[in-house]
Amino acid sequence: MSVAKSSLYEHPLRVVYHFLKIDTALFMALVILCISGLVVLYSASGGDMDAIQRQLVRLGIGFAGLLLFAQIPADQLRSWSLWLYIIGVVLLVLVLVLGETGKGAQRWLNLGFVRFQPSELMKIWLPMMMAWYYAKQVLPPSLKDIFVGFVIVMVPAALIIKQPDLGTSILVTGAGLFVIFLAGIRYRVIAVFVGLALAAAPAFWFYLRDYQRGRILTLLDPERDPLGAGYHIIQSKIAIGSGGVYGRGWLNGTQSQLDFIPERSTDFIFSVLSEEFGFFGTSLLIMVYLFIVVRGLVISARAQTCYARLLGGAISLSFFSYVFVNIGMVSGMLPVVGVPLPLISYGGTSMVTLLTMFGILMSIHSHRKLLGH
Amino acid sequence: MSALLVAGTFILLIMRLYDLQITNYSHYQTLSDDNRVRVLPIAPTRGLIIDRNGEILADNTPNYQLVITSSQVKDMSELIATLAEFIDIQEHELARFNKALKRQQSFQQTPLKLNLTEQEVAKFAVNQHRYPGVEIAAHSTRYYPQKNSFAHALGYVGRINEKELTKLDKQKYQGTSHVGKVGIEKYYETDLHGEVGYQHVEINAQGRSLRVLKTQTSLPGMDIQLSLIARLQEVAEEALGEENGAIVAIDPNNGDVLAFVSQPNYDPNLFVNGIGQLAYSALRDDKHRPLFNRALIGQYPPGSTVKPIVALAGLQYGVTWPEKTMYAGPFFQLPGKARKYRDWKKEGHGIVNMDSAIAQSCDVYFYQLGDELGIDRMHEFLIQFGLGSRTKLDTVGEVKGLMPSPEWKRSARGQPWYPGETIITSIGQGYMLTTPLQLAVMTAYIANHGTMYQPRFVRATRPTGTLKFENKQPIPIAKVKVDDESYWQAIEQAMVSVVHAPNGTARRIGADASYQMAGKTGTAQVFGIAQDEEYDKETTPKHLQDHALFVAYAPVENPVIAIAVVVENGGSGSSAAAPVARKILDAYLQDKTLEGKHIVSR
């Protein structure tokens, strides 16, 4: 990593990267990931060039967002944090009141010229809010601060779960809690909260909708309903397992190409990759993800303001949690919650949100340097 | 701290993937193949059955069915209603379709109507584009071009029923819908069936076939050549006319069954794809019993047709000799008994010897002979001709008939044997029962002077993939041994007299024959006539009239055909049965087109 970085820094392009205020290593890793994603998507969509084009457009918008946010200093973001959080909560309320329904849940808000999911925005806006709040407190946070942090997290999380969108709600909650974690919570306190969470689990169970309960039961025993809810997990595991060491080859996965994998362009695209590229391909992918997350954490650790450190760390860990939840889900370790594989799955909102988040990381990276010199 | 958490979690993921992709690879590989590959059986083509001259008796013809893939149909009842406008769909067909629909998966084809007529096929073909999900499927189905003629010999195939399903080899019968139910079709099921083939088809998640991955073709069943001759069969049927009865003709040199007629008969094609309940009950309840195979399982008292071999027993045991004469009056009485055993000829035959007693079918001569032989020796000798046991003809359901003995009567009826029963047994009455097939075998034994072969329908088979039929070796069966060859000549001469002597009972058929034949008439009583009462053909209702029998073989010097004819309620053997036999013998011996010299290879 360091070798690659230093060699790139001596490169003439270094000036360009510096001008764009981006971290070269992280940027390259993201580009590699997105290109791999297009390759897999071509296979998963059955060679649909229209889908590739649409995905390219989203990538374009996403990278534009990345470059844009890379130019905005973290301090600037910090001053917007509270307002964005408030706007986000209002939008979530609006979704519940007049949102559009898709696949049995109200998630979309139509502003006339653009149709989007406010819950996706909360993936950035909530950690920004949390980082803003804890950056003002004495760290490690007191119990009172932790409680306030929980309230800040629970408000949007509850609104999203009401849509209902369990997957996004979990990810948003995670993004918020990562900030508390990074703020330096004591392990004793973590233990207490884990205990409380376990105690609250039965209550949570009653709060879940039938189909959500079904998913959890199905995870524990996919054969419970092999043609219904369990079908997705069973078929996905078959696809992953039958990939073997080197996979069946690009475009040659039978599970993928013959429609056995559900949602194979979106949530289950990892199964397609696993079947066609095998253990070799999946480990390589996880390495790239690992690199990105670790690089993000390194950037955050070097940040000079508390706000930037907390936000950058939360962004990195959020990204990590998306990867874990998706791969865990398709490989049958976690329940099916409808989380896309970051930067690989077909889909617009998450692509743009994610790249924007990396724009913030870039900004934290480059503006630190400016301050440093 | 965070980096450790992240790295640890990712190691967890990689371990999970290692477990799925490396450790359990073969398990998931198998599941994946099971998912996408469907193995479809290919039913083998059933072997053909041809006659001795290569004429097809059991064929396979395409049968068109209207099939529906329910997953492609939006409104089934509306679809059926519109189809019914130009295709006749019966109530029971609709019921079967709805039943089958529930059992099958929606992507499978379900037959709505079987046996489409050519017009229906044509009408549908024009309109096909209007009915997505509806297709015409061609199947191979059994067809018997000779229709009724060979029903009792061939039997037929029919749809496999629940009971057969449990007995048949599931592996071999995948994809096979029909199985031999009776007759040759059943006996040779294994040979005719062939080997099932397989097609490995790749399917997608919706179950639609995408491409064929591998095909293992099915092997057609063996073709079978019968010893039967279609044209001789035709002649035999015509000779029997409208009468109920049976004819079995056998080649004494190898056991080949040349003609096998049982009348009335039925069209075996009706049974192939399921006979309707009405048509079936009509056949079943017909008082002439067309489904009853008289030649194979019809048991008749042989009457006088057994007299030649009773005489042979007399010679073998030294009880009588050809020149021995006796006075045959109108009746015979056991010493000290009042009962009179009457001759069929009211005034008696006068002085007779063995030759004239057989030629004239003198009952009194045989009453006397039977009395002297005794039932035990008669039983012991007659069973050598296969009476009372199965002939082992290569078909199913044959019955044994009955050659009575005191032991049999004791165990079957719990009664002692009475001397009077010996007397009537000697003229083939009483308990004695024979099938027309047994009578033909008995006659062939006489023709061969004691040797015989197991009777057989199938003389050659053509194993799958070969072009030539392989002849089967005739199987010799137990010989009838007598001490002196002259005994055979004596009874043969007597049987010639039956046909050719001026006083022979069948002299009318022998008068203008260009070859010599040996025969024996027989008349079997359908119901008992009281002492002193007379049987009058004119006043007796048809169904109570005697059965007419005739057995014969020809030419005498070198017999090539032995025949047994039974005409139910035909009256006397000489007038009803003998002329039938003559027509068949004439056809076989004089019409050279009947004898197939070469086998048509198809």
Side-chain angles (χ1 to χ4, degrees):
Chain A
M1 191 171 88
S2 59
V3 176
K5 195 180 80 177
S6 60
S7 68
L8 275 167
Y9 273 24
E10 284 149 22
H11 197 274
L13 276 176
R14 183 191 162 215
V15 187
V16 179
Y17 296 133
H18 188 79
F19 175 75
L20 289 174
K21 300 192 173 61
I22 57 176
D23 175 47
T24 326
L26 184 58
F27 189 78
M28 293 314 288
L30 290 173
V31 169
I32 290 171
L33 194 63
C34 290
I35 291 172
S36 319
L38 287 173
V39 170
V40 179
L41 179 63
Y42 182 81
S43 173
S45 65
D48 181 1
M49 279 314 291
D50 288 347
I52 299 294
Q53 272 173 18
R54 281 195 292 273
Q55 187 78 342
L56 272 171
V57 169
R58 286 170 192 148
L59 278 175
I61 297 170
F63 274 99
L66 183 147
L67 291 175
L68 177 71
F69 274 78
Q71 315 311 314
I72 304 172
D75 280 349
Q76 192 68 55
L77 292 175
R78 185 183 162 194
S79 63
W80 295 344
S81 297
L82 179 61
W83 301 111
L84 287 176
Y85 176 78
I86 292 167
I87 292 170
V89 170
V90 170
L91 287 175
L92 283 174
V93 172
L94 282 178
V95 166
L96 288 179
V97 179
L98 36 92
E100 287 185 4
T101 308
K103 289 188 188 172
Q106 284 184 318
R107 296 176 187 177
W108 299 86
L109 203 56
N110 197 337
L111 296 186
F113 59 96
V114 65
R115 191 167 159 270
F116 67 103
Q117 297 182 39
S119 54
E120 282 292 326
L121 298 175
M122 264 309 180
K123 286 179 178 173
I124 315 178
W125 293 355
L126 178 63
M128 279 169 70
M129 172 66 192
M130 293 291 281
W132 171 82
Y133 177 75
Y134 283 104
K136 292 191 302 175
Q137 314 302 325
V138 179
L139 297 180
S142 65
L143 274 178
K144 186 208 100 192
D145 293 337
I146 292 171
F147 178 76
V148 173
F150 267 91
V151 173
I152 296 172
V153 171
M154 292 321 281
V155 171
L159 287 170
I160 295 169
I161 219 170
K162 203 84 186 145
Q163 290 182 355
D165 186 350
L166 183 61
T168 310
S169 176
I170 288 171
L171 296 181
V172 167
T173 306
L177 293 183
F178 285 136
V179 179
I180 305 183
F181 173 73
L182 292 163
I185 193 167
R186 284 191 198 83
Y187 290 109
R188 249 187 303 163
V189 182
I190 293 180
V192 168
F193 277 110
V194 168
L196 280 178
L198 286 178
F204 182 68
W205 180 256
F206 286 111
Y207 190 69
L208 289 178
R209 305 229 170 178
D210 277 345
Y211 81 94
Q212 291 167 333
R213 287 181 202 169
R215 281 173 179 178
I216 291 170
L217 289 175
T218 301
L219 170 81
L220 300 174
D221 179 17
E223 303 296 335
R224 193 178 73 103
D225 185 10
L227 291 176
Y231 180 83
H232 293 196
I233 292 181
I234 292 170
Q235 295 300 339
S236 172
K237 278 164 74 179
I238 291 173
I240 296 171
S242 64
V245 181
Y246 296 108
R248 299 200 154 200
W250 189 49
L251 305 180
N252 282 333
T254 55
Q255 286 285 105
S256 316
Q257 304 303 327
L258 300 177
D259 259 4
F260 287 99
I261 302 176
E263 308 284 339
R264 60 196 165 113
S265 297
T266 54
D267 291 355
F268 284 85
I269 200 165
F270 183 79
S271 318
V272 177
L273 182 139
S274 307
E275 188 187 25
E276 300 191 346
F277 299 97
F279 183 67
F280 183 75
T282 53
S283 352
L284 214 60
L285 179 80
I286 287 173
M287 292 302 176
V288 175
Y289 277 132
L290 181 62
F291 175 80
I292 292 172
V293 173
V294 170
R295 182 69 195 155
L297 289 173
V298 168
I299 290 172
S300 312
R302 289 182 190 157
Q304 284 157 336
T305 68
C306 186
Y307 174 80
R309 188 171 65 77
L310 291 176
L311 180 58
I315 286 172
S316 306
L317 290 179
S318 290
F319 182 76
F320 148 76
S321 70
Y322 302 167
V323 174
F324 175 69
V325 169
N326 180 272
I327 298 180
M329 164 181 103
V330 299
S331 63
M333 295 166 77
L334 300 173
V336 177
V337 285
V339 174
L341 184 65
L343 302 180
I344 306 276
S345 283
Y346 179 79
T349 320
S350 110
M351 181 72 78
V352 175
T353 324
L354 282 165
L355 288 174
T356 309
M357 281 162 68
F358 282 106
I360 295 172
L361 267 178
M362 299 289 179
S363 153
I364 292 169
H365 169 74
S366 45
H367 288 91
R368 171 187 62 88
K369 287 201 167 166
L370 286 178
L371 286 172
H373 288 280
Chain B
M1 186 33 230
S2 304
L4 278 179
L5 174 86
V6 170
T9 312
F10 276 170
I11 287 169
L12 198 69
L13 281 185
I14 289 183
M15 277 165 62
R16 172 67 175 173
L17 293 170
Y18 185 89
D19 180 53
L20 287 175
Q21 299 191 291
I22 313 284
T23 315
N24 290 312
Y25 166 66
S26 56
H27 170 67
Y28 287 110
Q29 172 70 49
T30 311
L31 288 180
S32 169
D33 284 345
D34 287 353
N35 249 350
R36 73 183 176 102
V37 180
R38 184 152 295 160
V39 180
L40 301 175
I42 307 170
T45 311
R46 199 172 172 85
L48 301 180
I49 303 177
I50 61 173
D51 88 337
R52 178 181 294 236
N53 294 330
E55 208 162 316
I56 294 178
L57 306 181
D59 201 355
N60 301 309
T61 57
N63 169 266
Y64 298 99
Q65 303 184 347
L66 195 70
V67 295
I68 298 185
T69 311
S70 60
S71 62
Q72 293 173 29
V73 176
K74 282 193 201 102
D75 187 343
M76 188 62 81
S77 50
E78 189 197 307
L79 173 75
I80 289 170
T82 50
L83 285 173
E85 283 168 21
F86 56 94
I87 289 170
D88 175 39
I89 297 164
Q90 300 285 319
E91 200 62 38
H92 71 269
E93 291 170 323
L94 199 59
R96 181 184 51 198
F97 173 75
N98 286 327
K99 212 170 126 192
L101 212 57
K102 281 181 202 137
R103 264 181 302 155
Q104 286 184 306
Q105 286 172 277
S106 63
F107 57 80
Q108 286 181 314
Q109 295 184 327
T110 315
L112 172 62
K113 166 116 187 141
L114 315 172
N115 306 324
L116 289 177
T117 64
E118 287 190 17
Q119 283 149 332
E120 285 171 328
V121 171
K123 273 186 198 163
F124 179 76
V126 176
N127 292 303
Q128 181 153 22
H129 62 279
R130 288 168 52 200
Y131 306 106
V134 187
E135 276 171 64
I136 291 200
H139 289 266
S140 176
T141 195
R142 203 59 154 172
Y143 177 64
Y144 304 103
Q146 312 276 345
K147 304 213 163 67
N148 296 40
S149 277
F150 290 90
H152 288 296
L154 294 176
Y156 49 82
V157 298
R159 295 193 167 275
I160 295 172
N161 61 34
E162 306 265 315
K163 205 173 128 200
E164 287 157 340
L165 208 57
T166 58
K167 283 186 190 155
L168 292 170
D169 185 331
K170 293 226 165 48
Q171 199 72 34
K172 283 185 177 160
Y173 278 81
Q174 278 184 40
T176 303
S177 56
H178 289 69
V179 68
K181 298 273 183 178
V182 286
I184 294 168
E185 288 274 31
K186 179 166 186 180
Y187 189 87
Y188 286 98
E189 176 62 31
T190 326
D191 293 331
L192 289 166
H193 180 257
E195 299 284 331
V196 65
Y198 293 98
Q199 206 170 42
H200 293 245
V201 180
E202 186 171 79
I203 56 155
N204 65 9
Q206 287 76 44
R208 181 165 302 172
S209 311
L210 299 178
R211 63 190 169 125
V212 175
L213 299 171
K214 194 168 86 180
T215 304
Q216 188 192 331
T217 51
S218 59
L219 292 178
M222 271 188 201
D223 289 343
I224 282 181
Q225 188 192 30
L226 302 189
S227 49
L228 290 170
I229 302 164
R231 286 203 43 206
L232 189 66
Q233 182 90 354
E234 205 177 305
V235 168
E237 283 182 306
E238 269 168 30
L240 197 53
E242 296 297 302
E243 300 288 345
N244 294 349
I247 298 167
V248 178
I250 294 182
D251 183 341
N253 301 298
N254 47 28
D256 278 2
V257 176
L258 305 170
F260 191 87
V261 172
S262 173
Q263 269 186 199
N265 43 31
Y266 59 93
D267 184 354
N269 293 304
L270 292 175
F271 288 86
V272 174
N273 282 315
I275 184 169
Q277 190 57 47
L278 271 178
Y280 181 68
S281 21
L283 280 176
R284 190 192 52 200
D285 302 336
D286 188 326
K287 68 176 160 86
H288 295 295
R289 303 174 70 198
L291 297 175
F292 182 58
N293 190 339
R294 289 166 168 79
L296 188 70
I297 56 179
Q299 303 188 91
Y300 304 89
S304 303
T305 56
V306 295
K307 281 176 182 167
I309 58 172
V310 173
L312 191 65
L315 294 172
Q316 170 64 13
Y317 290 112
V319 173
T320 188
W321 52 94
E323 300 78 19
K324 186 184 178 187
T325 57
M326 71 170 283
Y327 174 76
F331 57 82
F332 170 83
Q333 274 178 305
L334 282 166
K337 295 280 167 67
R339 185 181 164 117
K340 291 172 177 172
Y341 296 91
R342 294 183 181 279
D343 198 285
W344 64 270
K345 199 173 179 185
K346 218 158 86 181
E347 63 277 19
H349 296 270
I351 304 287
V352 290
N353 61 12
M354 182 181 286
D355 190 84
S356 55
I358 290 175
Q360 299 170 31
S361 202
C362 173
D363 289 338
V364 170
Y365 178 92
F366 282 93
Y367 293 149
Q368 177 73 39
L369 180 55
D371 186 36
E372 286 168 30
L373 271 172
I375 184 62
D376 289 332
R377 289 197 285 189
M378 222 178 335
H379 175 262
E380 181 189 46
F381 193 76
L382 263 55
I383 57 169
Q384 295 185 82
F385 289 86
L387 302 184
S389 56
R390 294 187 181 89
T391 67
K392 296 192 182 136
L393 178 68
D394 45 356
T395 188
V396 291
E398 193 188 354
V399 295
K400 285 203 234 177
L402 179 60
M403 182 61 223
S405 68
E407 288 74 40
W408 163 79
K409 199 181 173 197
R410 211 173 299 124
S411 65
R413 305 267 172 113
Q415 287 169 352
W417 184 265
Y418 297 112
E421 289 164 345
T422 309
I423 305 307
I424 55 172
T425 302
S426 65
I427 62 158
Q429 298 284 1
Y431 298 116
M432 201 168 165
L433 290 172
T434 54
T435 65
L437 174 64
Q438 285 176 324
L439 291 178
V441 170
M442 173 194 80
T443 311
Y445 262 115
I446 303 171
N448 282 341
H449 294 190
T451 59
M452 184 43 191
Y453 303 89
Q454 195 171 299
R456 61 184 193 181
F457 274 132
V458 174
R459 70 194 303 264
T461 56
R462 180 167 58 187
T464 304
T466 60
L467 291 172
K468 273 185 68 181
F469 277 92
E470 286 172 10
N471 287 332
K472 290 190 162 188
Q473 284 303 310
I475 302 164
I477 50 176
K479 282 191 170 140
V480 177
K481 290 199 185 91
V482 294
D483 295 339
D484 196 321
E485 172 65 20
S486 71
Y487 300 165
W488 287 111
Q489 281 155 9
I491 64 156
E492 179 168 272
Q493 196 46 55
M495 287 174 77
V496 170
S497 299
V498 169
V499 184
H500 297 285
N503 57 358
T505 49
R507 61 188 174 277
R508 263 178 294 174
I509 70 158
D512 56 346
S514 60
Y515 52 89
Q516 262 212 328
M517 60 191 119
K520 183 68 197 82
T521 55
T523 301
Q525 283 176 8
V526 171
F527 78 115
I529 300 163
Q531 288 278 308
D532 301 319
E533 227 183 301
E534 259 184 65
Y535 170 80
D536 183 351
K537 190 172 188 248
E538 300 305 314
T539 58
T540 310
K542 175 80 177 169
H543 71 276
L544 294 177
Q545 286 181 21
D546 293 344
H547 295 325
L549 289 82
F550 188 68
V551 298
Y553 60 91
V556 171
E557 356 23 284
N558 179 27
V560 294
I561 181 170
I563 191 169
V565 176
V566 175
V567 181
E568 280 187 5
N569 315 113
S572 80
S574 57
S575 61
V580 172
R582 168 71 196 273
K583 283 178 192 161
I584 298 161
L585 295 178
D586 275 0
Y588 189 64
L589 296 171
Q590 294 172 344
D591 186 346
K592 286 296 155 197
T593 62
L594 288 180
E595 181 72 43
K597 289 300 176 217
H598 70 283
I599 301 310
V600 179
S601 292
R602 290 177 74 249

